[in-house]
Amino acid sequence: MRTTRSRRSLLTQAIKIGINFFCSPTLKIDANAILFSAKTFIAAMLAYYISLRIGLPRPFWAIITVYIVSQTSAGASLSRGVYRFAGTFIGAIATVAIVPNFANEPILCSLILSGWIGLCLFFSLLDRTPRAYAFVLAGYTASLIGFPSVLDPGAVFDIASLRVQEISIGILCAVLIHRYVLPKRMTGLFTGKLATTMQNAHQLARDALNGTPEENRSDRKQLSLDLLTLQDLATHLPYDPAPVIPHRRILRLIHDRLARLLLLTTEIEERIHFLRHDGDFAPAELTRLIDDVRTWCTLADIADESDATFDLIARARTVQKQLAKEKASSVDLVGANLAGHLAEMIGLLHDCKQLKFSATLINPLRNTRSLHGPKHARGYVYHRDPQMAARAALGAITGILCGCAFWIWSGWTEGGTAVSVLGVCCTLFGNFDTPVPFVVKYTIGTLYGIAFSLFYSFFILPQVTDFAVLVAVLAPAFLLAGSLQARLPTMMTALGIALTIPILSGLGTNYSGDFAASLNISIAVLVAVNFGALSMSIFQTVRADTAIKRLLDLSRRDIGRRALGHAPNEARWISLMIDRTALLQPKLRASGKAYSSVLDDTLHHLRIGHVAGRLHKMIPLLPFEARAPIKDLLLATANYVNARKPTKNHDPVPLNQHIATVMAISTQGPKKNRTQIRDLLIDLCFALGAAPLSQAGKPES
């Protein structure tokens, strides 16, 4: 019996180990990478075969296109293919327009081509969506076609035409294979990420109700990254072959509510912390409300609690009215403010859950219950910085012109090829603040690609006489490159391999086996890539500290604009600042600065700007005698933020006293306006990190 039990125990353990192994995330990643690699290789060989059959002279361009276009999901592959075709077509037209007209002036022709590449890079940096890839392609297509044709402009039209044809074949094959052969749908990835984001939002709400700032900092950081990731995934959804795609308006509504939730949880956290540690007491009915909301947050993400939701919101509004009575103490005013924020938070979380469910329906908007937030949504707003984009574009132009000057001055035969690769590097990696690490990875891949190419060219390919055998011998190298491309850390290395082998191996219409030509091209590619790394380190690199300071300075500037009424609405402001927060996080890791100080500073900017904009809108509703003081308060707030350094805490006590004075003056007028002004002034006081209201004056009425 013991032997039988021990065998069963061992068998059970073996089964558990096997299940854990086959369900492990690492194995799943490996399986997805292998599948992606196999599909991409099939598409590349199909494109290669079609190009050979119709007699195109450079079929290796079709292979390269497949590897550049292919993404891990069907929707992303199609969108990237569409943008690549558009960019290639525009770049080819620009090249045909530039090169023949300046055929007798190589220096001027190079200058204009460099300017076009810089202009395309500028617009790609401003766009910051997957559409930016079209601008990138328009730039480096001109580089690949134009510079080798500067000294031989007669063939530029034929080269451009053939490139468009071969790239179109590569795009078509990549899109068809990834769409119809075991497709991985973007919609599935998006809905999975949305579910995780909703869980993170509920966790953020629960942590905020505990009033523990340190724990909530990581939650806020994660939610800001989640919103950026969702937006990046959502841009590919219209191209996805899924039967039901989440409606764009639904996604905007979800984003606006999650963005507002990120700001609101900070307000709630600070009010609870104040009432527990700084206030004289926390009203009993408010304490019970907080406990019930915490319980609701635990249940709301796993069950349908619609009735409990509406009851809880009604309770919060009742507590808010009870505490906001005439002659209320400062603690009661803060409690009333907190109750109002709790009601809004419950409504936002309820909306998000309903919208998430509605996003999977055929007629989503008709199946959504009454929403607690605005019916019209702005959606994600990208931070765009024309000054930094122009800096990167001018850096690329300068680097390319330096390469052109050396080529023309030296008379290097392969100089046109080298400069064309240099233009590709400056454009392809120009969207990174520090492009050199990515260029280094690409260079490593290029070295591997050169080694594979020389081995194939002079040991394997001379023995191949059949296309099927050619596919078989190419499979190991390309399957390795495809597997590496499916993993983010090795993606650049994989591109270096996949883009080098087709060209240097001579995968054309016939085998050439010219060792000298292969060696010269290999040297030109390596020189171009290394010179590109040097050029970008000098002209296109932005230090992390500089980028962080730039983002903080822009945020402070925008607060001043909002205080004066020259700024976008609240939803746009919140989304813009959340995007800046997401942009700051990788820069902070690169700089080594403390996360807490800089990210908290950005969050304070978000909150101050939000309140300042809403206060400015309230000015026409105030009594005449209260308008001038509140304008002075907004101006003083803008001056305070602009003068404040991210690493120094200036004393906001004078502003807090000013807030108390304005609150006392604004007691006249309709009760609704008085309540809104009072809540906004309390929000401003907390956002500024000022002393508690009880220490700033008498905001009693």
Side-chain angles (χ1 to χ4, degrees):
M1 290 292 294
R2 291 181 179 178
T3 304
T4 303
R5 289 179 180 177
S6 63
R7 288 178 179 175
R8 288 179 179 176
S9 177
L10 290 173
L11 181 60
T12 302
Q13 291 179 4
I15 292 174
K16 289 182 179 179
I17 293 173
I19 293 174
N20 292 334
F21 174 75
F22 285 106
C23 295
S24 64
T26 303
L27 187 64
K28 185 177 180 181
I29 292 173
D30 291 339
N32 290 334
I34 292 171
L35 177 61
F36 169 80
S37 180
K39 289 162 55 177
T40 305
F41 179 67
I42 292 171
M45 292 300 100
L46 177 61
Y48 183 40
Y49 178 77
I50 294 174
S51 299
L52 288 174
R53 290 289 295 175
I54 62 179
L56 295 178
R58 293 179 177 86
F60 50 80
W61 275 350
I63 300 176
I64 291 173
T65 298
V66 169
Y67 276 89
I68 293 178
V69 166
S70 294
Q71 301 293 298
T72 54
S73 71
S77 297
L78 177 57
S79 67
R80 194 171 177 89
V82 170
Y83 298 139
R84 181 174 178 83
F85 175 79
T88 300
F89 187 72
I90 294 172
I93 292 176
T95 307
V96 172
I98 293 171
V99 174
N101 289 315
F102 299 94
N104 298 323
E105 298 289 341
I107 296 177
L108 182 59
C109 185
S110 299
L111 178 62
I112 295 175
L113 281 174
S114 301
W116 169 260
I117 295 170
L119 183 66
C120 292
L121 176 59
F122 173 78
F123 285 115
S124 72
L125 292 174
L126 284 186
D127 190 278
R128 285 196 58 216
T129 70
R131 292 189 303 269
Y133 188 61
F135 294 108
V136 171
L137 261 295
Y140 85 58
T141 296
S143 179
L144 287 175
I145 301 175
F147 288 117
S149 303
V150 168
L151 301 180
D152 184 21
V156 66
F157 179 81
D158 293 336
I159 294 174
S161 175
L162 291 171
R163 179 171 175 81
V164 172
Q165 296 175 51
E166 287 157 349
I167 282 177
S168 299
I169 293 173
I171 291 172
L172 182 63
C173 292
V175 168
L176 290 177
I177 294 297
H178 286 288
R179 188 179 183 90
Y180 294 108
V181 178
L182 299 175
K184 187 175 182 181
R185 305 189 192 281
M186 178 61 73
T187 303
L189 296 175
F190 178 84
T191 53
K193 183 60 181 177
L194 179 59
T196 302
T197 302
M198 299 296 281
Q199 293 175 2
N200 293 336
H202 279 87
Q203 183 62 46
L204 175 61
R206 289 192 293 268
D207 290 342
L209 292 169
N210 294 328
T212 51
E214 291 297 329
E215 296 177 5
N216 299 343
R217 184 174 291 118
S218 61
D219 294 339
R220 291 192 295 266
K221 179 180 69 174
Q222 183 59 51
L223 184 56
S224 66
L225 291 175
D226 287 344
L227 291 175
L228 178 58
T229 304
L230 284 175
Q231 175 63 18
D232 291 341
L233 294 175
T235 54
H236 299 293
L237 290 178
Y239 301 91
D240 202 54
V244 178
I245 297 175
H247 196 277
R248 183 176 298 178
R249 182 185 167 191
I250 291 288
L251 300 183
R252 288 178 176 174
L253 288 168
I254 292 175
H255 167 79
D256 280 15
R257 278 150 179 76
L258 289 176
R260 173 61 182 156
L261 180 69
L262 189 147
L263 175 63
L264 194 62
T265 51
T266 308
E267 307 284 357
I268 292 171
E269 167 199 306
E270 289 190 350
R271 306 306 185 273
I272 293 176
H273 182 80
F274 168 76
L275 291 174
R276 286 179 178 173
H277 300 282
D278 300 318
D280 298 330
F281 64 93
E285 60 272 25
L286 182 60
T287 302
R288 288 193 296 270
L289 175 64
I290 293 172
D291 293 337
D292 291 343
V293 173
R294 187 184 297 109
T295 303
W296 177 87
C297 285
T298 304
L299 298 175
D301 57 345
I302 59 175
D304 187 5
E305 297 288 337
S306 296
D307 294 336
T309 298
F310 290 106
D311 291 342
L312 207 54
I313 292 174
R315 275 185 57 195
R317 294 301 182 191
T318 301
V319 172
Q320 182 184 18
K321 292 179 181 178
Q322 290 174 351
L323 295 177
K325 57 184 180 296
E326 295 293 332
K327 305 296 183 180
S329 67
S330 12
V331 171
D332 286 340
L333 290 177
V334 174
N337 180 267
L338 171 60
H341 287 327
L342 288 174
E344 185 180 1
M345 184 184 76
I346 297 167
L348 292 175
L349 289 172
H350 175 264
D351 280 4
C352 288
K353 183 178 179 180
Q354 296 295 321
L355 290 166
K356 175 177 173 290
F357 172 74
S358 181
T360 62
L361 302 177
I362 297 177
N363 297 314
L365 298 178
R366 297 178 183 178
N367 292 277
T368 304
R369 289 192 65 179
S370 59
L371 303 178
H372 298 275
K375 299 297 188 295
H376 301 286
R378 178 61 180 82
Y380 201 92
V381 176
Y382 287 98
H383 164 76
R384 293 181 171 90
D385 191 344
Q387 181 176 324
M388 298 301 287
R391 181 188 184 279
L394 290 174
I397 293 172
T398 303
I400 295 171
L401 287 177
C402 290
C404 290
F406 175 78
W407 162 41
I408 295 173
W409 171 77
S410 65
W412 184 16
T413 305
E414 298 294 338
T417 301
V419 174
S420 68
V421 175
L422 172 62
V424 171
C425 289
C426 291
T427 309
L428 195 60
F429 302 105
N431 60 333
F432 300 106
D433 287 339
T434 53
V436 175
F438 300 95
V439 179
V440 170
K441 291 181 180 180
Y442 182 81
T443 304
I444 294 172
T446 302
L447 289 172
Y448 280 115
I450 290 174
F452 281 127
S453 300
L454 294 177
F455 178 74
Y456 275 120
S457 295
F458 303 105
F459 293 96
I460 302 298
L461 294 184
Q463 314 300 324
V464 176
T465 57
D466 184 75
F467 185 79
V469 177
L470 176 63
V471 172
V473 299
L474 290 176
F478 280 102
L479 288 175
L480 172 64
S483 178
L484 294 175
Q485 185 176 345
R487 297 172 171 87
L488 188 59
T490 56
M491 185 177 65
M492 291 299 174
T493 303
L495 285 177
I497 298 173
L499 272 60
T500 304
I501 293 177
I503 298 176
L504 296 184
S505 295
L507 297 180
T509 54
N510 52 63
Y511 174 73
S512 60
D514 190 339
F515 180 79
S518 298
L519 185 62
N520 287 334
I521 294 176
S522 300
I523 293 172
V525 170
L526 287 176
V527 169
V529 172
N530 284 279
F531 182 78
L534 176 63
S535 168
M536 284 184 278
S537 67
I538 297 173
F539 301 117
Q540 290 180 259
T541 297
V542 179
R543 294 176 62 247
D545 292 341
T546 302
I548 292 169
K549 183 179 182 300
R550 174 71 177 169
L551 286 171
L552 294 176
D553 288 344
L554 289 175
S555 299
R556 286 191 288 269
R557 179 205 67 184
D558 290 345
I559 290 174
R561 292 180 176 178
R562 287 189 62 78
L564 299 176
H566 307 300
N569 60 30
E570 287 81 6
R572 180 179 175 83
W573 166 255
I574 294 174
S575 185
L576 173 63
M577 290 299 294
I578 289 176
D579 183 55
R580 287 174 177 172
T581 303
L583 290 177
L584 273 173
Q585 295 185 42
K587 302 179 194 307
L588 288 169
R589 287 194 292 270
S591 70
K593 284 185 177 293
Y595 277 68
S596 57
S597 61
V598 178
L599 289 178
D600 285 353
D601 207 68
T602 307
L603 186 59
H604 283 304
H605 290 163
L606 166 58
R607 294 166 59 195
I608 295 170
H610 179 256
V611 178
R614 294 188 63 189
L615 277 173
H616 192 277
K617 287 185 177 181
M618 292 293 297
I619 290 177
L621 305 178
L622 293 174
F624 183 78
E625 60 273 12
R627 296 181 184 181
I630 204 167
K631 288 181 180 179
D632 293 340
L633 171 61
L634 291 174
L635 182 59
T637 301
N639 293 334
Y640 163 77
V641 173
N642 287 326
R644 185 168 178 253
K645 301 298 181 183
T647 56
K648 296 182 180 179
N649 292 321
H650 289 226
D651 184 10
V653 168
L655 273 176
N656 202 25
Q657 294 172 345
H658 203 347
I659 292 172
T661 303
V662 174
M663 187 175 288
I665 296 175
S666 61
T667 55
Q668 303 175 7
K671 184 176 180 180
K672 181 180 179 181
N673 294 343
R674 295 203 310 265
T675 302
Q676 291 181 359
I677 288 292
R678 182 177 58 203
D679 281 338
L680 290 174
L681 291 174
I682 292 174
D683 289 345
L684 181 60
C685 187
F686 276 97
L688 290 169
L693 290 174
S694 57
Q695 302 175 22
K698 283 193 67 175
E700 304 290 358
S701 51

